[in-house]
Amino acid sequence: MSTETLQNDLLRGGQFLVKETQCEDVFTLEDLSEEQKMMRESTKEFVDRELWAHWERFESKDYGYTEETMRHAGELGLLGIAVPEAYGGLGMGFVSTMLVCDYISGATGSFSTAFGAHTGIGTMPITLYGNEEQKQKYVPKLATGEWFGAYCLTEPGAGSDANSGKTKAVLSDDGKHYSISGQKMWISNAGFCNLFIVFARIEDDKNITGFIVENDPSNGITLGDEEKKLGIHSSSTRQVFFNETKVPVENMLSERGNGFKIAMNALNVGRIKLAAACLDAQRRVIGEAVKYANERLQFKTPIINFGAIKAKIATMATNAYAGESASYRAAKNIEDRIALREAAGNSHQEAELKGVEEYAIECSILKVAVSEDCQSTTDEGIQIFGGMGFSADTPMESAWRDSRIARIYEGTNEINRMLAVGMLIKKALKGHVDLLGPATAVGEELMGIPSFDAPDFSVLFAEEKDLIARLKKVLLMVAGSAVQKFGPDLEGHQQLLMAASDILIEIYMAESTILRTEKNAKRYGEDTQATQIAMSRLYLYNAVDIILQKGKEAIVSFAEGDEQRMMLMGLKRFTKYTNHPNVVALRTQIADKVAADSGYTFD
């Protein structure tokens, strides 16, 4: 495909809401190259051998083993997947970096956190914002695991409000170094890292500044004790105190006052990688739950035969499938956008920064959706195990505790919900996504007489795609009216934004799932995708229920009288099925397939 063709076909971030996507234009796990498949298998072998087989060590706060396995990952090249070859890495594309993050993260949250903190926020700020000297000096050591990185942003008074940190950087009289003083908390990898990315404020600057700080205890750096945490027990998490720590001026990262921008762009990448990091955790939990349900006898029959258990297994598998579908769709969009920018003459640094930033909406959507599905899956995993699930002698209990942090990492899910809708509106105001035209058209449609023609739903997913198009009208109706009513004050109506965001999330996840299955049904045959078709229909059915609930919640929160009645009628019209699927039959079909395969086998 030529650059010009790709430019014309590739949707911008958020445009999925107003433009139809063809199934041929989405990337799926089934599109992996042979090289990527080999990479996946080698990653899984490492995880099974060194992580999954020793999950008890991670639960016993064996920080040394986390460091040891991280070094082994570095020796295998797994820490340098995203690092350019010029700096000791493998220089792989964005999809490949997602793939490794996905399959290396499912065995234990302790290792997943160490890996994500090092490869993401510990290394990436230097590769994307560092100058050539900084990259040559530090990145090769980080790419190979010779050194480990950590990221010092959060402070006792600065969490979601990241730019409000109090840590200070004072320039020396001779202008050769800065003295950094302050307190950072919740610092992953602090106990064994060699290098910190530290954010501090110079004088009374509006924005913070980033610095590369080597971990030298003799230079005013002290660590608090390991934090006592609900989960991720062997992830080293400490407070870090800086007391006039001297940092050479050449270790300033990017420009003065650019730290907040660095932090926000690091979070965009971190959000989609966090979604990837929750995928294999779901697959493994499903596998363990199905194995137990196949073996556990109650009333003289395996509990997998009970409908209540089948419903749980089906929902767990469906959510995992949807998470895969949406995550790899977005990852390939980012990779293609990076390629377009590089072809246009952008440096690798600028291309990757802008490529990820373009899809910040999708990154937030994925972070929320997949982290919450992962939590739900582990919770249901415990329920299937019953009393044994509550025991620390089984990995289900630790999986549940480890998954809880994912809803807080990389910006809380509440922050990300509001960001997704806020960024969509900002894109509309900049002219990057035309929301006004489609929203106006929906308003006119509500005033008109609905069509009573019987549509042709004989083709696979014809009704489902028609329904998704109408679900998009729900968001356009709600968001359009809300913007018109509140204008710039909309950001103060957080509960309304949260409801609108849930609608946006369900649209993207459901559409991604349908498109993946449609693409594979066309190339492999519908009969080979029977269970995937069932999962796609089940996910959409559940999404419609959520959108109906959240749409009503949003509408009654700001509309009254005739406007409210009209919008509620529109909501009912846009969420109406012509042919309701048999949900019980769908769940049974999915669960029976997963049980027969002894686990999740759709990846």
Side-chain angles (χ1 to χ4, degrees):
M1 184 179 292
S2 69
T3 302
E4 184 177 355
T5 302
L6 186 59
Q7 176 75 62
N8 293 333
D9 292 343
L10 185 59
L11 296 185
R12 301 195 66 163
Q15 282 189 332
F16 71 88
L17 184 64
V18 293
K19 291 190 176 183
E20 184 179 3
T21 301
Q22 301 300 318
C23 70
E24 293 82 6
D25 296 329
V26 299
F27 183 87
T28 76
L29 269 176
E30 293 76 20
D31 293 314
L32 293 176
S33 67
E34 289 304 314
E35 182 183 29
Q36 288 170 328
K37 290 176 183 176
M38 290 173 61
M39 186 183 302
R40 175 172 63 180
E41 289 309 307
S42 63
T43 303
K44 289 169 70 174
E45 287 175 9
F46 166 77
V47 172
D48 289 338
R49 181 181 66 251
E50 300 201 31
L51 307 183
W52 186 247
H54 302 285
W55 66 269
E56 299 98 330
R57 296 187 67 172
F58 292 101
E59 289 312 298
S60 63
K61 301 184 180 180
D62 191 341
Y63 303 107
Y65 192 63
T66 300
E67 182 179 356
E68 178 185 333
T69 50
M70 279 287 287
R71 293 204 185 279
H72 290 171
E75 292 164 3
L76 292 172
L78 297 173
L79 301 182
I81 299 293
V83 174
E85 293 180 77
Y87 309 110
L90 298 181
M92 305 296 287
F94 199 85
V95 171
S96 295
T97 69
M98 281 280 286
L99 190 67
V100 171
C101 183
D102 174 353
Y103 286 90
I104 208 168
S105 300
T108 164
S110 296
F111 183 89
S112 175
T113 296
F115 177 86
H118 172 76
T119 59
I121 51 182
T123 302
M124 184 180 57
I126 305 178
T127 62
L128 296 184
Y129 284 97
N131 58 40
E132 188 62 24
E133 183 180 351
Q134 291 168 343
K135 287 187 289 187
Q136 292 286 357
K137 182 176 181 180
Y138 294 113
V139 175
K141 294 179 180 179
L142 295 168
T144 58
E146 179 185 348
W147 276 26
F148 293 119
Y151 184 81
C152 295
L153 176 64
T154 304
E155 299 183 14
S160 296
D161 186 9
N163 201 38
S164 63
K166 304 300 183 186
T167 298
K168 287 289 186 181
V170 179
L171 185 63
S172 61
D173 291 339
D174 60 11
K176 292 183 178 180
H177 67 264
Y178 284 92
S179 290
I180 294 181
S181 296
Q183 175 185 1
K184 300 292 183 175
M185 65 188 303
W186 308 123
I187 307 307
S188 297
N189 295 353
F192 59 85
C193 76
N194 307 90
L195 174 151
F196 297 106
I197 304 297
V198 181
F199 294 91
R201 193 176 310 278
I202 301 172
E203 297 177 346
D204 293 322
D205 288 358
K206 177 182 177 182
N207 293 321
I208 51 181
T209 297
F211 295 89
I212 302 169
V213 182
E214 295 184 22
N215 185 7
D216 178 2
S218 67
N219 188 20
I221 299 175
T222 56
L223 303 180
D225 294 335
E226 290 287 353
E227 298 287 352
K228 297 176 182 178
K229 309 184 294 292
L230 173 69
I232 56 173
H233 280 170
S234 288
S235 164
S236 177
T237 312
R238 296 187 177 191
Q239 293 191 62
V240 183
F241 301 89
F242 298 96
N243 182 18
E244 296 187 359
T245 300
K246 292 180 173 56
V247 182
V249 292
E250 56 266 27
N251 274 31
M252 179 186 287
L253 191 57
S254 186
E255 301 170 358
R256 177 172 172 171
N258 215 26
F260 185 62
K261 184 177 181 180
I262 295 172
M264 292 303 99
N265 280 324
L267 286 174
N268 284 334
V269 179
R271 284 162 185 157
I272 189 170
K273 294 290 181 66
L274 191 281
C278 289
L279 293 175
D280 200 52
Q282 294 178 73
R283 299 186 196 104
R284 288 178 181 269
V285 166
I286 293 167
E288 291 297 304
V290 169
K291 179 182 177 182
Y292 184 83
N294 276 328
E295 296 173 353
R296 174 67 167 168
L297 297 180
Q298 289 292 279
F299 309 104
K300 298 181 180 181
T301 185
I303 64 172
I304 194 71
N305 293 331
F306 298 140
I309 300 298
K310 289 185 178 184
K312 295 180 186 299
I313 296 293
T315 300
M316 293 159 73
T318 295
N319 288 343
Y321 182 75
E324 288 176 349
S325 304
S327 295
Y328 284 94
R329 173 191 184 182
K332 188 59 163 66
N333 284 344
I334 291 172
E335 182 170 290
D336 288 343
R337 181 64 63 179
I338 291 170
L340 280 174
R341 285 193 160 272
E342 288 181 329
N346 289 171
S347 67
H348 171 76
Q349 290 169 285
E350 186 178 5
E352 186 153 337
L353 281 168
K354 294 297 184 181
V356 175
E357 186 179 1
E358 177 64 52
Y359 296 96
I361 295 169
E362 287 81 354
C363 291
S364 283
I365 286 173
L366 289 165
K367 192 274 179 182
V368 172
V370 186
S371 67
E372 293 184 358
D373 285 341
C374 188
Q375 180 86 83
S376 174
T377 294
T378 57
D379 190 71
E380 292 288 38
I382 288 179
Q383 197 70 13
I384 291 169
F385 268 67
M388 285 302 296
F390 203 70
S391 169
D393 290 333
T394 67
M396 205 60 65
E397 176 261 1
S398 61
W400 181 82
R401 287 185 290 99
D402 282 358
S403 68
R404 185 59 183 86
I405 189 62
R407 289 162 57 194
I408 300 171
Y409 274 159
E410 313 297 352
T412 67
N413 282 12
E414 291 73 24
I415 289 289
N416 275 284
R417 277 183 162 89
M418 290 183 286
L419 276 174
V421 176
M423 289 186 291
L424 180 64
I425 293 171
K426 286 181 181 179
K427 272 181 166 282
L429 294 175
K430 290 180 179 179
H432 294 173
V433 179
D434 178 17
L435 293 184
L436 180 60
T440 302
V442 171
E444 293 172 352
E445 182 178 346
L446 290 175
M447 300 296 291
I449 300 173
S451 171
F452 295 100
D453 295 339
D456 178 12
F457 291 149
S458 58
V459 178
L460 176 66
F461 289 144
E463 178 168 5
E464 287 80 8
K465 293 173 77 172
D466 176 73
L467 183 51
I468 287 173
R470 287 186 277 118
L471 295 179
K472 293 178 182 181
K473 293 179 181 180
V474 172
L475 183 62
L476 291 167
M477 174 181 69
V478 170
S481 297
V483 170
Q484 188 174 17
K485 185 176 184 68
F486 298 115
D489 295 331
L490 179 59
E491 64 181 23
H493 296 265
Q494 291 192 352
Q495 294 187 56
L496 171 57
L497 288 173
M498 298 272 281
S501 182
D502 281 338
I503 297 171
L504 181 67
I505 289 167
E506 293 304 324
I507 289 169
Y508 187 72
M509 301 300 289
E511 181 181 65
S512 299
T513 308
I514 293 287
L515 291 172
R516 174 188 182 182
T517 306
E518 182 187 14
K519 181 177 185 178
N520 289 327
K522 284 185 176 181
R523 59 181 167 183
Y524 302 132
E526 289 185 28
D527 56 328
T528 70
Q529 303 294 303
T531 308
Q532 290 91 326
I533 290 170
M535 288 191 290
S536 300
R537 286 175 169 155
L538 178 60
Y539 191 93
L540 179 60
Y541 178 87
N542 292 333
V544 169
D545 272 358
I546 293 170
I547 291 171
L548 188 58
Q549 175 196 348
K550 295 297 180 178
K552 182 177 179 180
E553 178 184 320
I555 290 166
V556 300
S557 74
F558 71 87
E560 298 176 342
D562 290 342
E563 180 189 19
Q564 183 187 100
R565 284 190 290 273
M566 182 182 69
M567 292 180 71
L568 289 174
M569 287 176 60
L571 176 65
K572 184 177 180 180
R573 185 198 308 180
F574 294 147
T575 56
K576 182 180 178 181
Y577 269 99
T578 300
N579 302 294
H580 270 283
N582 183 336
V583 180
V584 173
L586 291 177
R587 291 182 187 137
T588 302
Q589 179 184 349
I590 298 163
D592 286 349
K593 171 64 173 173
V594 176
D597 291 348
S598 299
Y600 183 91
T601 58
F602 306 103
D603 60 331

